[in-house]
Amino acid sequence: PIRSVSVDLNNDASLLIDIPDALCERDKVKFTVHTKTTLSSFQKPEFSVPRQHEDFIWLHDTLVETEDYAGLIIPPAPPKPDFEGPREKMHKLGEGEATMTKEEYTKMKQELEAEYLAVFKKTVQVHEIFLQRLSSHPILNKDRNFQIFLEYDQDLSVRRKNAKEMFGGFFKNMVKSADEVLISGVKEVDDFFEQEKTFLLDYYSKIKDSTAKAEKMTRSHKNIADDYIRISATLNITMSFVSLQKVEGRVASDQELKLTELLRYYMRDIQAAKDLLYRRARALADYENSNKALDKARLKSKDIPQAEEHQQQCLQKFDKLSESGKKELTSFKGRRVVAFRKNLIEMAELEIKHAKVRSSIQLYYICFIMCTNELQYAWGICKILCEQI
Amino acid sequence: MAASSDRNPPPFPASEEPETGLCDMADGDSDEGEDIFVNNVRLRAFLLLLLCPSFVQSTPVAVSRGVSQPDQVSEEPPDLFSEEEAISTAPTLSTTAKSNGVHSDDENDLFAELLAAVDCFHSGISKGYFVLPPLELKCGLLYYCFQQLEEEEAKDSFDVDVSVTSPEKIGDGMNAYVAYKVSTRTSLNMFRSKTFFVRRRFSDFLGLYEKLSVKQSLHGCIVPPPPEKSVVGMTKVKVGMDDPSSVEFVERRRAALERYLQRVVSHPSLLQDPDVREFLEREDLPRAVNTQALSGAGFLKMINKASDAVNKMTIKMNESDTWFEDKFQEVENEEQQLRKLHAVVDSLVNHRKELCMNTAVFAKSMAMLGNSEDNTALSRALSQLAEVEDKMEQLHQEQAASDFFIFAELLADYIRMLGAVRGCFDQRMRAWQRWQEAQSTLQKKREAEAKLLWANKPDKLQQAKEEITEWEARVTQYERDFDRIGMTVRKEVLRFEKEKAKDFKSQIIKYLESMLQSEQRVMIHSHSKAYVYVFYSGVEGFSPESWQRVYYIPDG
């Protein structure tokens, strides 16, 4: 079962989505999006389509741009697949092939392939979660573009281009100045939102910091693991205890990786919640401006009905955003705490499993070194034990 | 290197050894049993491992005692792993230890002791504290037995044991230096007493090396090289001995000097050398001069100079015995490999230090995040997590130190040693060269004599005949020298290989032991992490049963 960073998704049988496989061609990853549904709005009960990362981004952006969803937290877009790390290492390995022994080269190549595979699995998972978040949201799962994304069996790139032309960088620019809107503070009328704003701004900066620091820590672990690979490749049999260290290193980095991913995911989620606050703050600003415009119109006795209508529209929009926003933020809070705890428990299970394995291996290993006096035998036994992990 | 394998890994930073310590070791045989129990690192590691909780799927196992409410959870579970605990539950081990420290050859006694220990552990098991799968227990038993046997073996071959301790800064400013206490413990009669000590400074060690290499290397002896000079390191120390990098430097040097001396005294020929005895015994040693040449670079230059001389030889040696050629090639290859390895280990040490820093920084960041968190329980969990990560940083630090001291220093030592080995091969070549040159000189003299015979100059002829006799003697001498050096080199290389294998093995085991100790602490921290994770649950969908499955807590 896939352990997701969010709470269990994909439970509703009326719309089940998953990514059963993906292909990697050079830079491009082609995901196979598979849908199973009982809804009549779809043409078939079960179908699959190929999609690229850019298609996901298109879907996310169109949802963000949709006025009707301004009061919702749009699930964060999946990050671009990043094979840069393992690819660079592969390149270096290729360059240094001449200076290594055949065994060294093979070992390192294997490790790199494993790393590559891990990145690949991660990116598939993250894209899958995005879709599953959408399918489990009562409003977003009815979105027309979402349906097109799931169903349309042709290339989406034409639509993507059109969308870009329409929206361009408009929203992006808006978001950039949104921070100032929030902070410079239109006076907040609602306590709930005032508190949320304070909390989210602070929490976001802290979690962003923690994520960055966690990533650095994970990278250090990786570096150490790489060193051990080079050591074990150089020494072969003589220093087989290095394989124990490899296990330890990999275990430690797995733990940190899990924590890092949890932090990273929630950082992005909180950004999405912040975006909601921005939009509401914008609506509030618009409403305030419309009030001022109405006053001016009344003063000048000119265009009063339009100004009144405009003011009403702004108020309605603002109220709608506030109502929906409150609901979304409250449920988001609960979801986040639940998900954090669930992940922490999963990490606890991992800790315990690995600790037991580690200590057993080390005990066996020391015993055999002392008993046999033959490191070759100890190595053989150790290898067998390691395989059992 | 006899009893050095018993010595604990170098304390970091260097700690004072009590004055009486060394004497106790020599005649405190009655305390041997307790010493083994309390002081022996391996035994402790073994006990810690036996006590480490193993989780068995079917039966619930209590790891902590009576922790029921989440609010009462302390940072770490009650310390089941403390040595006091172990000692008090295994009284039989210390009391049945042999009184004069000489274990009988009877292995049944060892097993009896061990079974008594097992009894104690079993009683702990029956109280429900931990469960040991039988295979682990058997391995533990074997480990203990063989470790005891090895200690006996080590003691039997004990002749001279030296230690270098208590670095002390003497003087101030740029003329300051560090004096080390060099203690000797011996059963040989050629020394003035059974135990004694003197104070030496770094240049004294270099001086010893210089004297030895001048004398012994001519015979094909592998003279262990001393640690390298370091102007940077010493300047820092002169300024102040208290900051961490100075402390590390002094400790590193102390350990290296100790290893150097141990190699010298465990060499049978070098031990007989009067300079060695003087170094160990004499209260006032005349200051060594001309040690400038013996910086790290200088030492290498010396070795390479010999190699160059050999390479410039016009007469190529015709090896009747390929052993020397093959061995030389092996030595060169090994040196290459060790250098490569040393580079990787250096990188490892740096990465560990980085990890250390990054973990500390991350811990602080998590603490801040915990403070920001508005859900109280989760906030507490994150803060506790941050504290645990902080402790992990300490462990990473120690692991880095151990990686460095044990692993990297070992490699550096052997890279230098292999240089010395190459040096003695070169000495043999020089001896050969001397012999060949003498032969060609003899040939020339003979030709000269023949010429004189024709020219009929009787007085010059007499001189020529004398010279021929002289050179014949020389040729014989040099041939004998060459053969003798060849034999010595052979013997030395074989001895070196044996010592190297032993050294590497004992260092690997030391390294594993230090890893085990830190592993044990990691496990304590990971258990407390697990506590943190689990106790702050109690969330919808996570019933008490489900988190009992994850981590076993006894009722009540």
Side-chain angles (χ1 to χ4, degrees):
Chain A
I2 299 164
R3 294 216 143 130
S4 57
V5 290
S6 186
V7 287
D8 290 307
L9 304 166
N10 223 35
N11 284 329
D12 189 352
S14 64
L15 185 61
L16 292 171
I17 306 177
D18 70 317
I19 299 182
D21 75 88
L23 265 179
C24 193
E25 283 166 21
R26 288 167 166 252
D27 268 4
K28 295 268 173 217
V29 182
K30 270 207 170 70
F31 303 94
T32 307
V33 178
H34 168 250
T35 314
K36 230 167 147 184
T37 177
T38 58
L39 300 172
S40 52
S41 47
F42 290 93
Q43 287 175 1
K44 290 186 262 182
E46 186 168 355
F47 47 90
S48 292
V49 291
R51 291 288 176 251
Q52 293 179 0
H53 170 74
E54 285 73 19
D55 300 327
F56 288 77
I57 301 300
W58 165 81
L59 178 60
H60 171 261
D61 287 350
T62 49
L63 292 173
V64 164
E65 304 283 345
T66 309
E67 271 292 319
D68 282 345
Y69 304 148
L72 305 176
I73 297 178
I74 312 289
K80 195 171 154 90
D82 181 19
F83 295 100
E84 194 52 48
R87 197 182 313 127
E88 202 187 302
K89 282 192 198 156
M90 272 284 194
H91 187 65
K92 262 199 227 155
L93 181 66
E95 280 181 346
E97 187 179 352
T99 64
M100 303 183 202
T101 66
K102 193 160 182 288
E103 284 135 339
E104 245 181 285
Y105 181 75
T106 330
K107 267 199 196 149
M108 295 213 59
K109 192 150 172 278
Q110 277 175 351
E111 291 287 338
L112 277 180
E113 284 169 356
E115 210 177 297
Y116 206 83
L117 191 64
V119 171
F120 188 68
K121 277 199 188 139
K122 195 69 220 147
T123 193
V124 165
Q125 194 182 45
V126 143
H127 284 75
E128 197 178 63
I129 287 171
F130 171 68
L131 294 177
Q132 288 173 346
R133 282 280 296 272
L134 289 177
S135 69
S136 49
H137 193 290
I139 299 172
L140 292 174
N141 65 8
K142 299 189 177 57
D143 181 76
R144 177 84 191 117
N145 284 312
F146 183 43
Q147 189 175 341
I148 290 170
F149 177 92
L150 292 174
E151 216 178 22
Y152 188 62
D153 56 4
Q154 306 289 321
D155 198 344
L156 281 179
S157 50
V158 178
R159 284 184 176 259
R160 280 195 272 129
K161 275 206 207 91
N162 293 340
K164 247 204 179 107
E165 274 155 23
M166 263 180 46
F167 299 119
F170 174 70
F171 184 63
K172 302 275 180 353
N173 290 333
M174 197 176 110
V175 168
K176 276 201 190 96
S177 54
D179 229 317
E180 296 137 277
V181 171
L182 265 188
I183 292 168
S184 71
V186 192
K187 189 171 165 304
E188 186 51 72
V189 291
D190 190 334
D191 264 345
F192 172 82
F193 283 101
E194 182 62 36
Q195 278 175 4
E196 279 302 298
K197 178 178 91 179
T198 315
F199 170 70
L200 283 178
L201 283 178
D202 179 44
Y203 198 79
Y204 179 74
S205 74
K206 301 270 166 56
I207 201 173
K208 188 165 175 208
D209 186 57
S210 291
T211 308
K213 305 272 161 69
E215 281 171 349
K216 265 186 138 173
M217 210 170 56
T218 313
R219 230 173 306 153
S220 286
H221 268 294
K222 251 197 167 15
N223 286 338
I224 291 177
D226 286 343
D227 285 334
Y228 277 117
I229 293 170
R230 280 157 68 200
I231 292 177
S232 74
T234 319
L235 292 176
N236 300 318
I237 291 172
T238 334
M239 298 258 205
S240 49
F241 75 86
V242 162
S243 69
L244 293 175
Q245 282 282 39
K246 255 170 63 178
V247 170
E248 190 243 317
R250 195 173 297 149
V251 156
S253 68
D254 281 350
Q255 319 268 44
E256 253 104 37
L257 206 65
K258 205 164 163 59
L259 184 60
T260 312
E261 270 153 23
L262 177 67
L263 292 173
R264 202 184 293 129
Y265 188 81
Y266 277 94
M267 179 183 83
R268 282 189 264 123
D269 226 9
I270 287 168
Q271 179 64 54
K274 267 171 69 185
D275 289 344
L276 169 56
L277 287 179
Y278 299 154
R279 291 193 289 269
R280 182 181 165 277
R282 194 98 190 133
L284 182 58
D286 286 345
Y287 173 59
E288 305 257 312
N289 288 338
S290 77
N291 269 335
K292 289 202 192 102
L294 181 57
D295 286 343
K296 234 205 256 171
R298 286 203 175 123
L299 227 67
K300 285 193 186 152
S301 298
K302 198 174 154 202
D303 293 324
I304 295 178
Q306 292 103 306
E308 277 179 344
E309 165 136 18
H310 181 60
Q311 191 234 35
Q312 277 308 301
Q313 279 176 348
C314 286
L315 180 59
Q316 271 175 2
K317 182 173 169 202
F318 175 68
D319 281 340
K320 181 171 163 226
L321 279 190
S322 297
E323 189 190 322
S324 139
K326 203 174 220 169
K327 252 193 278 181
E328 285 275 299
L329 286 170
T330 311
S331 79
F332 171 68
K333 207 187 265 290
R335 237 186 323 122
R336 186 175 60 81
V337 171
V338 166
F340 255 88
R341 281 180 176 161
K342 178 167 177 255
N343 269 273
L344 292 181
I345 290 181
E346 285 170 12
M347 291 203 280
E349 290 177 331
L350 264 184
E351 288 269 9
I352 291 167
K353 171 177 164 218
H354 286 128
K356 175 189 177 187
V357 159
R358 272 205 302 253
S359 73
S360 299
I361 284 185
Q362 290 186 336
L363 178 57
Y364 293 140
Y365 188 66
I366 286 211
C367 294
F368 282 111
I369 264 200
M370 303 292 286
C371 297
T372 66
N373 253 327
E374 280 295 313
L375 293 179
Q376 273 88 338
Y377 292 139
W379 167 234
I381 289 154
C382 196
K383 263 212 309 208
I384 293 168
L385 290 171
C386 285
E387 280 157 22
Q388 288 172 3
I389 306 169
Chain B
M1 260 178 279
S4 63
S5 52
D6 288 357
R7 206 180 303 285
N8 291 341
F12 176 68
S15 58
E16 280 288 330
E17 216 176 65
E19 286 295 319
T20 54
L22 202 52
C23 303
D24 277 350
M25 275 168 77
D27 53 33
D29 289 339
S30 54
D31 300 330
E32 201 77 81
E34 228 140 62
D35 278 345
I36 287 177
F37 202 94
V38 175
N39 295 328
N40 190 295
V41 167
R42 267 183 232 150
L43 195 49
R44 262 188 290 164
F46 161 67
L47 288 171
L48 286 172
L49 284 165
L50 279 191
L51 286 170
C52 100
S54 300
F55 293 89
V56 177
Q57 289 294 9
S58 49
T59 39
V61 173
V63 173
S64 69
R65 292 184 256 200
V67 180
S68 48
Q69 283 120 14
D71 300 313
Q72 286 171 14
V73 169
S74 54
E75 187 68 83
E76 297 175 48
D79 201 357
L80 281 180
F81 313 113
S82 67
E83 283 141 47
E84 296 91 286
E85 195 83 59
I87 291 169
S88 64
T89 54
T92 44
L93 269 173
S94 52
T95 53
T96 61
K98 304 296 174 281
S99 54
N100 60 1
V102 175
H103 292 268
S104 71
D105 289 327
D106 194 346
E107 272 175 53
N108 290 334
D109 279 352
L110 274 175
F111 270 107
E113 275 188 38
L114 194 53
L115 288 174
V118 169
D119 270 342
C120 295
F121 297 138
H122 272 139
S123 73
I125 289 165
S126 67
K127 287 183 198 136
Y129 292 147
F130 39 77
V131 169
L132 286 169
L135 182 54
E136 268 178 62
L137 192 57
K138 271 190 227 149
C139 288
L141 292 177
L142 278 170
Y143 174 89
Y144 182 20
C145 291
F146 281 91
Q147 175 235 311
Q148 292 297 312
L149 288 173
E150 248 212 14
E151 275 187 47
E152 280 187 59
E153 205 184 83
K155 283 196 183 66
D156 289 345
S157 55
F158 160 89
D159 267 345
V160 181
D161 185 33
V162 295
S163 69
V164 175
T165 53
S166 324
E168 205 187 303
K169 183 170 161 199
I170 312 274
D172 271 314
M174 281 299 128
N175 289 323
Y177 63 91
V178 178
Y180 302 88
K181 178 175 161 196
V182 176
S183 320
T184 314
R185 186 167 59 130
T186 174
S187 57
L188 299 175
N189 291 321
M190 69 182 192
F191 291 98
R192 58 172 156 103
S193 67
K194 292 276 176 269
T195 64
F196 50 89
F197 68 89
V198 290
R199 291 218 154 257
R200 295 282 178 256
R201 54 187 289 184
F202 184 67
S203 52
D204 295 335
F205 290 82
L206 293 185
L208 174 66
Y209 170 74
E210 204 184 43
K211 292 189 196 133
L212 288 178
S213 68
V214 159
K215 275 188 280 177
Q216 299 286 355
S217 59
L218 289 177
H219 303 148
C221 224
I222 301 173
V223 181
E228 289 162 2
K229 266 189 165 192
S230 164
V231 177
V232 174
M234 268 321 281
T235 315
K236 266 199 265 183
V237 170
K238 284 179 187 178
V239 167
M241 233 173 94
D242 294 322
D243 67 284
S245 67
S246 290
V247 168
E248 188 182 307
F249 173 78
V250 169
E251 172 53 28
R252 205 164 101 208
R253 177 167 275 194
R254 182 208 66 81
L257 289 173
E258 190 174 85
R259 289 193 306 273
Y260 163 63
L261 264 194
Q262 279 168 353
R263 288 194 183 104
V264 168
V265 300
S266 51
H267 192 300
S269 327
L270 294 179
L271 185 59
Q272 301 299 326
D273 191 308
D275 282 324
V276 172
R277 213 173 331 141
E278 189 186 56
F279 179 89
L280 292 175
E281 275 189 326
R282 188 165 161 178
E283 289 290 341
D284 289 304
L285 200 66
R287 272 212 55 192
V289 293
N290 295 333
T291 57
Q292 286 88 341
L294 292 172
S295 62
F299 174 69
L300 258 179
K301 234 194 285 179
M302 212 166 68
I303 296 282
N304 291 332
K305 217 167 39 168
S307 299
D308 287 340
V310 166
N311 289 335
K312 286 202 188 92
M313 261 168 37
T314 46
I315 321 162
K316 274 303 159 198
M317 189 164 179
N318 190 7
E319 283 283 11
S320 51
D321 184 355
T322 53
W323 186 91
F324 289 94
E325 236 172 64
D326 294 339
K327 250 323 148 182
F328 189 71
Q329 196 58 50
E330 254 181 62
V331 166
E332 279 196 328
N333 291 342
E334 192 164 354
E335 198 176 328
Q336 284 274 42
Q337 209 191 32
L338 285 188
R339 277 186 201 278
K340 225 167 60 164
L341 194 56
H342 190 256
V344 182
V345 172
D346 260 352
S347 150
L348 174 66
V349 169
N350 286 333
H351 286 147
R352 270 219 199 274
K353 291 197 173 140
E354 245 174 54
L355 176 62
C356 204
M357 235 170 35
N358 290 340
T359 311
V361 161
F362 174 68
K364 288 196 184 73
S365 179
M366 281 294 274
M368 302 266 289
L369 185 65
N371 281 339
S372 254
E373 177 60 63
D374 63 350
N375 178 291
T376 342
L378 192 53
S379 162
R380 252 187 302 164
L382 291 177
S383 304
Q384 295 237 6
L385 192 58
E387 279 185 57
V388 171
E389 286 290 343
D390 204 36
K391 294 213 177 78
M392 292 295 282
E393 184 238 332
Q394 298 282 9
L395 290 176
H396 289 318
Q397 176 113 311
E398 285 166 29
Q399 186 67 53
S402 143
D403 280 347
F404 181 70
F405 277 105
I406 297 176
F407 206 175
E409 290 284 275
L410 174 71
L411 292 174
D413 274 2
Y414 275 94
I415 291 171
R416 274 198 299 267
M417 287 289 277
L418 286 173
V421 173
R422 264 194 300 129
C424 84
F425 273 88
D426 291 338
Q427 290 294 347
R428 178 175 167 269
M429 291 295 261
R430 272 168 155 197
W432 182 82
Q433 193 182 19
R434 234 177 288 135
W435 175 33
Q436 296 303 309
E437 282 170 0
Q439 274 190 320
S440 83
T441 312
L442 178 63
Q443 184 66 18
K444 286 203 192 92
K445 298 281 178 202
R446 285 205 174 121
E447 284 167 5
E449 188 206 25
K451 278 207 196 108
L452 287 174
L453 265 173
W454 276 107
N456 200 18
K457 291 195 184 133
D459 38 310
K460 284 215 175 122
L461 200 62
Q462 183 58 30
Q463 190 190 5
K465 279 208 197 304
E466 281 171 9
E467 282 180 2
I468 286 177
T469 322
E470 185 197 326
W471 278 94
E472 276 175 346
R474 281 208 193 166
V475 166
T476 320
Q477 180 61 47
Y478 289 165
E479 184 180 0
R480 234 182 267 144
D481 283 348
F482 173 70
D483 285 337
R484 204 166 17 93
I485 258 198
M487 283 198 299
T488 310
V489 166
R490 240 191 155 109
K491 211 172 56 175
E492 285 285 285
V493 167
L494 290 173
R495 186 186 157 269
F496 169 75
E497 285 181 338
K498 211 171 99 190
E499 289 295 311
K500 178 161 71 84
K502 210 165 83 176
D503 206 359
F504 264 80
K505 180 178 162 192
S506 90
Q507 291 295 94
I508 289 172
I509 289 179
K510 241 191 242 180
Y511 183 69
L512 274 175
E513 284 165 357
S514 96
M515 252 170 56
L516 274 170
Q517 287 192 318
S518 85
E519 189 61 35
Q520 202 56 37
R521 261 124 79 215
V522 166
M523 273 178 54
I524 291 175
H525 289 315
S526 79
H527 289 158
S528 58
K529 252 202 225 179
Y531 274 126
V532 165
Y533 298 150
V534 170
F535 285 125
Y536 292 118
S537 67
V539 162
E540 264 180 61
F542 292 98
S543 59
E545 294 82 63
S546 71
W547 53 258
Q548 275 219 325
R549 179 182 62 80
V550 166
Y551 205 68
Y552 300 106
I553 316 291
D555 295 327

